[in-house]
Amino acid sequence: MLQKYSYSPKLRTGAVVRDIPVTDAPLPYFSLEDGVFSYRMSDDACVYGLGESVRGINKRGWIYEGWCSDDPFHTEDKRSLYGAHNFLLIDGADRFGVFFDYPTRITFDVGYSDPSLLTVTPGKMNLDVYIITGGSLKDIVREFRSLIGKSYIPPLFAFGYGQSRWGYVTEQDITAVADNHEKAGIPLDMIYLDIDYMDSFKDFTVNRERYPDFEGFVKRMRSRGFHLIPIIDAAVKREEGYSVYDEGHEKGFFCTDENGEDYVVGVWPGMSCLPDFLDPEASAWFGEKYRVLTDAGIDGFWNDMNEPALFYSEKALSAAFHDIKGYEGKTLDALSYFSARDVFTRLSNSQKDYESFFHNAPEGRFVHSDVHNLYGYKMTESAMNALKKLRPDEPTLLFSRASYIGAHRSGGIWTGDNHSWWSHILQSLQQMPGLNMCGFLYTGSDIGGFNGACTRDLLLRWLSFAIFTPLMRNHCAIGNRSQEATAFGDTEAFRHIIELRYRLIPYLYGEFLKAAENDEMYFRPLSFDYEDDPAAREIADQLMVGDRLMIAPVYTQNAGGRNIYLPEDMNLIRMSAGEITCEPVSQGRHYVSVPLGDVVFFSKGKLPLADPAKNTASLDFDRLTYIG
């Protein structure tokens, strides 16, 4: 059962697609006092959901915020990352789901201040609350997903392997990636273009010195089986003569300050303006700009910096230069030194800046901080609405960094600027079910870590998990150690693991399509499939993938295996040196040896395997073998 409780929302976020009448019955489960929703949790209650967040599958014991944040340090003390996904599923003495449709900062204290108390605190009482009850955990998720709409389905090639790096600058860099993978026999479908392909970091431009014949290059790469996937940032460089800026400024399509002037911020291109994606006309205008690249043969994009991320605002930067002069010529003690340093570090993503510019939505004019969480969602929606018109006969790959519930209908997301830390393999695994609950099925993390120095063993273990994530992309930042599968000498182990991904695509893509069509989860905690098993309820490092496969990846440095729990008899499937074997294993706890380079997973039914292929276009879905 689904019930809606409305508390005077100021605008329609677009998160839901079903028009649910507002009930006049009292809000169940929660008490409401002084703008705080409170629920007393039973001792055994698990709390699932909150999409892209830290700290495990069961969210109990920490405090979270729904606030899209540009933060590259995904440590356990963080309260929010790039997405705002305000859905919780409580499973204890009561079982229910709750969605707080609220587009700005909202706090979820899940037993942090009081171990038995869940409190939800919006900044203002202008939101809708949906309560979902009845049936199993999967039933509740299915009902919620039917409320928010069908998940985005990418083209088949998007299930291939992708290689990315901020630091591939020229056409020659991209060609070298393709050549190296072909030489090593490592399958590859996509090569990503980060900000260096642009002319001075300007959206919808190409640096013609680095790519003198971009259109021809795209075509040549496609003839070799490679899709080029460029990045699009949210902000538009303020530069007269740059047509995107000129048009946006002339037509009033940018966010404005309190005086109605374009609000100017600093990001990659320098001084820039923010398209007003809440304005339908501005949104359609920006989406149409993707034509520059689709006309060149591009069939996939990733949208970035759309929290929106702000390095500084023009006004705040000017004030910072003024403030720093006050330290000149002085002897700085420890406190004054840190104060001087923070003059500039505190400029980024400032709450004061977010409170200083405005949007024009159909419902009226809104200060950005009141609708902040919608920005990345609306950028994704802008792009996909246009791409469906620009490429009506074929699906387009599209995923984003920032998101709100509703964006899942237009594209996928990746989990942002993680690190080359072993803990981030586990964090990625534990983020997947919460994202799936909120409709985001096409998801994945930066394999090997975006920041830091990836090692050979870390990459092998990360790939062994990531071959099961729909979005499978190796990505890292400029200045870091190269972490391509071809960068560590012997490539055989990498080739076998990535080949296995391609062999599993008939199963993985099939289960993905089924989950999208039926409003189900592609990744599930064991407790969702084995509700009556107390041991399964406590497992936080194993997941069901579709209906017939369970994964239990190794995520610890120097480990030769790991302990696993089987909630029923299953088959252990092992890929070692390219050879795939199967053996039955009984229900219960086991230690499983997993030498570096091996991949081990479990099945409870027959799994289809394709022959090895160099890319998705080469897969033969008519010639499958079965194992399990």
Side-chain angles (χ1 to χ4, degrees):
M1 184 171 66
L2 177 62
Q3 291 182 299
K4 177 181 179 180
Y5 304 82
S6 190
Y7 301 90
S8 304
K10 302 301 182 184
L11 84 167
R12 181 177 175 83
T13 66
V16 303
V17 297
R18 290 168 55 189
D19 187 15
I20 306 298
V22 177
T23 180
D24 57 3
L27 179 70
Y29 306 114
F30 290 92
S31 62
L32 177 58
E33 185 175 353
D34 296 329
V36 179
F37 297 86
S38 300
Y39 169 72
R40 186 67 62 178
M41 299 180 287
S42 60
D43 290 343
D44 65 340
C46 290
V47 181
Y48 304 104
L50 292 180
E52 181 185 43
S53 53
V54 299
R55 287 183 169 251
I57 292 174
N58 183 356
K59 298 303 179 183
R60 193 163 179 168
W62 189 239
I63 188 166
Y64 304 87
E65 291 182 344
W67 181 260
C68 297
S69 303
D70 170 28
D71 188 338
F73 295 96
H74 305 171
T75 50
E76 289 188 11
D77 59 337
K78 296 304 166 65
R79 296 184 175 186
S80 62
L81 296 178
Y82 305 95
H85 308 132
N86 305 334
F87 173 72
L88 293 168
L89 203 171
I90 292 87
D91 184 30
D94 304 305
R95 175 180 285 175
F96 65 96
V98 56
F99 171 46
F100 294 87
D101 191 5
Y102 186 64
T104 184
R105 194 184 304 269
I106 184 170
T107 302
F108 300 89
D109 186 333
V110 192
Y112 173 75
S113 301
D114 179 336
S116 66
L117 196 63
L118 164 65
T119 60
V120 183
T121 309
K124 302 173 184 177
M125 283 301 293
N126 52 5
L127 72 164
D128 288 331
V129 179
Y130 296 83
I131 300 288
I132 305 103
T133 56
S136 67
L137 295 170
K138 291 193 283 189
D139 288 338
I140 292 173
V141 171
R142 190 179 298 112
E143 182 69 19
F144 174 59
R145 293 271 302 283
S146 74
L147 171 70
I148 61 176
K150 297 295 184 186
S151 298
Y152 161 77
I153 296 176
L156 177 63
F157 76 77
F159 262 67
Y161 180 52
Q163 180 56 51
S164 182
R165 179 180 173 88
W166 172 26
Y168 296 153
V169 175
T170 67
E171 178 180 315
Q172 290 72 30
D173 293 334
I174 301 299
T175 301
V177 172
D179 292 345
N180 290 340
H181 280 75
E182 283 187 335
K183 182 178 179 181
I186 297 175
L188 185 66
D189 267 84
M190 293 160 287
I191 305 175
Y192 288 80
L193 307 180
D194 212 315
I195 54 177
D196 291 310
Y197 83 91
M198 302 179 192
D199 175 14
S200 303
F201 306 135
K202 292 183 289 189
D203 280 343
F204 312 114
T205 67
V206 173
N207 186 312
R208 292 294 174 173
E209 291 184 3
R210 298 169 179 175
Y211 297 88
D213 178 19
F214 183 74
E215 296 78 5
F217 183 59
V218 172
K219 184 176 181 179
R220 292 192 297 275
M221 294 301 288
R222 281 294 299 276
S223 71
R224 296 177 60 181
F226 301 111
H227 299 257
L228 300 184
I229 313 297
I231 195 171
I232 301 293
D233 280 348
V236 172
K237 182 177 176 64
R238 185 183 65 177
E239 178 183 280
E240 292 186 6
Y242 167 39
S243 64
V244 180
Y245 168 75
D246 289 343
E247 289 178 21
H249 174 69
E250 179 185 348
K251 296 180 179 180
F253 286 160
F254 296 131
C255 295
T256 57
D257 63 16
E258 59 184 1
N259 299 317
E261 301 295 326
D262 292 345
Y263 191 73
V264 180
V265 300
V267 281
W268 292 114
M271 297 300 184
S272 304
C273 298
L274 296 168
D276 185 358
F277 293 111
L278 271 67
D279 177 347
E281 288 188 38
S283 177
W285 163 78
F286 189 87
E288 170 65 22
K289 296 302 177 185
Y290 285 76
R291 179 187 297 275
V292 170
L293 294 165
T294 59
D295 283 354
I298 294 296
D299 54 7
F301 300 90
W302 49 307
N303 288 344
D304 196 12
M305 300 292 288
N306 53 357
E307 291 71 34
L310 311 179
F311 295 166
Y312 53 83
S313 68
E314 185 177 39
K315 293 179 180 179
L317 182 65
S318 177
F321 279 120
H322 177 270
D323 292 345
I324 202 67
K325 289 180 181 179
Y327 295 90
E328 188 175 0
K330 295 182 179 180
T331 300
L332 303 183
D333 61 17
L335 294 179
S336 56
Y337 164 73
F338 287 117
S339 177
R341 184 194 64 178
D342 290 346
V343 166
F344 288 97
T345 58
R346 65 172 173 250
L347 290 175
S348 295
N349 306 314
S350 160
Q351 182 66 27
K352 183 177 180 180
D353 284 338
Y354 288 137
E355 294 170 353
S356 300
F357 63 94
F358 296 82
H359 295 267
N360 289 310
E363 295 88 345
R365 191 173 190 235
F366 292 88
V367 63
H368 173 78
S369 57
D370 283 350
V371 295
H372 172 80
N373 293 335
L374 301 182
Y375 196 81
Y377 157 29
K378 292 299 183 180
M379 181 185 181
T380 302
E381 184 179 69
S382 163
M384 185 49 71
N385 286 344
L387 290 167
K388 286 179 178 178
K389 298 175 182 177
L390 296 172
R391 306 183 71 253
D393 300 324
E394 297 180 77
T396 303
L397 170 60
L398 180 66
F399 59 93
S400 171
R401 192 169 75 175
S403 62
Y404 184 79
I405 290 173
H408 69 284
R409 300 190 296 268
S410 298
I413 58 175
W414 93 101
T415 57
D417 296 347
N418 57 4
H419 274 72
S420 299
W421 298 338
W422 288 88
S423 62
H424 276 186
I425 301 178
L426 178 60
Q427 179 173 283
S428 177
L429 177 144
Q430 292 176 332
Q431 288 173 325
M432 294 298 115
L435 287 168
N436 278 198
M437 289 178 206
C438 297
F440 295 96
L441 298 184
Y442 189 71
T443 59
S445 61
D446 285 346
I447 299 167
F450 178 73
N451 295 294
C454 186
T455 60
R456 180 177 184 272
D457 57 342
L458 175 61
L459 185 60
L460 285 169
R461 292 301 195 195
W462 207 316
L463 283 166
S464 298
F465 157 64
I467 61 172
F468 300 100
T469 61
L471 170 57
M472 185 186 178
R473 181 178 74 151
N474 182 329
H475 182 46
C476 71
I478 192 170
N480 292 328
R481 181 184 188 183
S482 295
Q483 63 187 47
E484 296 88 355
T486 57
F488 296 95
D490 182 12
T491 59
E492 281 301 289
F494 293 104
R495 178 173 64 83
H496 292 318
I497 293 173
I498 297 169
E499 272 189 350
L500 179 59
R501 161 56 170 235
Y502 282 77
R503 300 198 68 186
L504 285 167
I505 283 177
Y507 174 77
L508 300 177
Y509 195 58
E511 292 299 296
F512 180 95
L513 293 176
K514 185 168 66 175
E517 177 61 29
N518 298 328
D519 296 327
E520 296 173 344
M521 297 167 65
Y522 171 88
F523 283 115
R524 297 183 304 282
L526 268 59
S527 56
F528 279 54
D529 286 47
Y530 303 93
E531 291 188 0
D532 298 328
D533 186 338
R537 187 179 173 87
E538 296 182 357
I539 298 296
D541 60 356
Q542 300 175 206
L543 294 177
M544 299 300 299
V545 182
D547 289 337
R548 287 170 283 158
L549 194 153
M550 186 187 78
I551 60 172
V554 175
Y555 53 87
T556 306
Q557 186 174 14
N558 298 322
R562 58 160 293 174
N563 293 304
I564 60 99
Y565 174 71
L566 295 185
E568 64 175 296
D569 294 350
M570 293 186 180
N571 293 310
L572 185 156
I573 299 177
R574 180 185 300 273
M575 188 282 297
S576 181
E579 297 297 321
I580 299 177
T581 60
C582 176
E583 63 175 294
V585 182
S586 61
Q587 185 274 341
R589 299 185 185 276
H590 304 270
Y591 177 82
V592 176
S593 173
V594 189
L596 190 64
D598 281 14
V599 179
V600 169
F601 54 98
F602 302 85
S603 75
K604 46 187 263 184
K606 297 289 186 180
L607 299 178
L609 293 176
D611 290 340
K614 66 178 183 178
N615 53 36
T616 52
S618 303
L619 283 170
D620 186 350
F621 285 83
D622 296 324
R623 183 180 176 182
L624 303 176
T625 57
Y626 290 82
I627 192 167

